[in-house]
Amino acid sequence: MAMELRHLRYLLAVAEQHSFTRAAEELHISQPTLSQQIKQLERMVGVPLLDRGGRSVRLTDAGEAYAHHARRALRDLEAAERAVHDVADLSRGHLRLALTPTFTAYLLGPLLAAFHEARPGIGVQVREAPQDRIESGLLADEFDLGIAFHGPHLPGIAATPLFTELLTLVVSCAPGPPAAGAALPVTELADRRLALLSGDFATRVHVDAHLAAHGVRPRISVEANSVQALTELVRRTGLATVLPEAVTEEQPGLAPVPLDPPLPPRTVTLLRRDGAYESAAARAFAALAHELTRTRGYAPPVRPAVR
């Protein structure tokens, strides 16, 4: 009997669910059928792949090794199918994009609007995620492209510099924009009430490190895990926040206040799985991202030294 792709999918489903019952429900087949198919696979490879002796079903050592290659085989097959159906004229297609959350406040809207106008037949799936999740998702072929920051990166991730992101203090324009003048000494933030992103954001870690380096213990009145929540709060109150300077261009009612010394800039990068098939949609989106960030006047990328 020849091995079929369903055998691999069935094995991985049981391995993920640790249960024949739950795996059968997920696969929409009967449990006896699933059990029979797994036994067929074990006879073909000549070793037990699942340990059925405990309270839950687990992969044996041989099963772990086999499942590792099965996942890679299915991932490569899915990439091959996408390559076959890829349309070079971009009249149709699909793009899976992941990005860190702060980009939704100023970059995602213009990028998707320009891409949709240029390539209306391409469907786009967008996901916000921390950078480590973006990189692991690229390696697992869950995403085609990621937008995040310069490394260090996971092995197998290729990063292309896109632009330099500048962070600044952000305040409300009401009753009027702050007067232009000398930059605000960063030490004065110790006396200012702030609303900042929560600690699971890379931006917050970046801000905390800069303040700590200058002996500033900030007065944090609000922490939020949403850039939109912060911008709304700052717009309506006397609180200030620290966000990318470009946010003030996209969000009405906000104004940047330069700091002295300024926060260290960050290089924004396009992330890909190194050596993976890249669809025409992904290539077109990458080209548009470089062009749009240039024409909008974002600071050009400067590749920092690897830390």
Side-chain angles (χ1 to χ4, degrees):
M1 177 178 295
M3 186 181 305
E4 299 184 18
L5 290 176
R6 70 170 183 273
H7 291 109
L8 305 184
R9 295 191 174 100
Y10 290 174
L11 174 68
L12 295 179
V14 176
E16 181 178 336
Q17 297 294 334
H18 300 291
S19 164
F20 278 92
T21 301
R22 291 193 296 271
E25 292 173 352
E26 179 185 88
L27 295 165
H28 304 292
I29 61 175
S30 69
Q31 183 175 335
T33 297
L34 176 59
S35 181
Q36 180 186 39
Q37 293 291 312
I38 296 296
K39 288 179 180 177
Q40 285 180 359
L41 177 61
E42 290 177 321
R43 285 196 294 270
M44 283 186 279
V45 299
V47 295
L49 299 175
L50 294 171
D51 179 2
R52 302 164 174 82
R55 297 182 63 181
S56 63
V57 182
R58 298 187 178 277
L59 291 167
T60 62
D61 289 344
E64 289 280 5
Y66 193 87
H68 171 76
H69 291 282
R71 291 187 187 97
R72 186 169 62 184
L74 289 175
R75 184 182 66 215
D76 289 345
L77 179 63
E78 290 168 358
E81 290 173 349
R82 288 198 304 275
V84 168
H85 293 100
D86 188 17
V87 179
D89 65 4
L90 294 168
S91 61
R92 60 179 172 86
H94 189 71
L95 175 70
R96 302 166 301 169
L97 176 68
L99 70 170
T100 54
T102 52
F103 294 123
T104 60
Y106 71 94
L107 180 62
L108 181 62
L111 260 180
L112 290 188
F115 189 68
H116 178 69
E117 182 178 358
R119 308 296 182 184
I122 305 297
V124 182
Q125 179 184 8
V126 179
R127 175 149 177 203
E128 289 185 347
Q131 181 153 339
D132 57 350
R133 177 68 187 88
I134 292 174
E135 295 192 11
S136 63
L138 286 167
L139 294 174
D141 196 34
E142 297 172 10
F143 311 129
D144 300 307
L145 290 174
I147 303 178
F149 297 102
H150 177 78
H153 303 291
L154 293 177
I157 293 295
T160 304
L162 191 57
F163 65 95
T164 297
E165 183 186 77
L166 306 175
L167 293 168
T168 186
L169 191 71
V170 177
V171 300
S172 172
C173 285
L184 181 73
V186 71
T187 52
E188 292 191 16
L189 292 185
D191 300 319
R192 189 149 195 168
R193 292 188 303 134
L194 299 176
L196 296 178
L197 290 167
S198 53
D200 52 344
F201 280 72
T203 298
R204 174 62 184 278
V205 175
H206 196 67
V207 170
D208 284 350
H210 186 65
L211 297 182
H214 293 86
V216 176
R217 298 183 62 181
R219 296 172 57 195
I220 302 173
S221 297
V222 177
E223 287 187 312
N225 65 353
S226 163
V227 176
Q228 183 179 3
L230 286 184
T231 56
E232 284 297 315
L233 183 64
V234 170
R235 187 181 290 116
R236 299 169 188 273
T237 70
L239 296 174
T241 189
V242 179
L243 288 173
E245 187 176 276
V247 170
T248 62
E249 300 173 8
E250 296 296 328
Q251 303 290 329
L254 300 177
V257 176
L259 293 172
D260 181 25
L263 282 100
R266 299 186 292 181
T267 299
V268 177
T269 59
L270 275 176
L271 304 180
R272 304 170 172 86
R273 179 161 61 97
D274 194 17
Y277 168 76
E278 189 169 50
S279 69
R283 295 194 299 273
F285 186 89
L288 183 144
H290 283 283
E291 177 64 16
L292 182 138
T293 54
R294 184 186 63 81
T295 58
R296 289 176 70 85
Y298 294 160
V302 177
R303 188 186 299 273
V306 177
R307 295 183 298 274

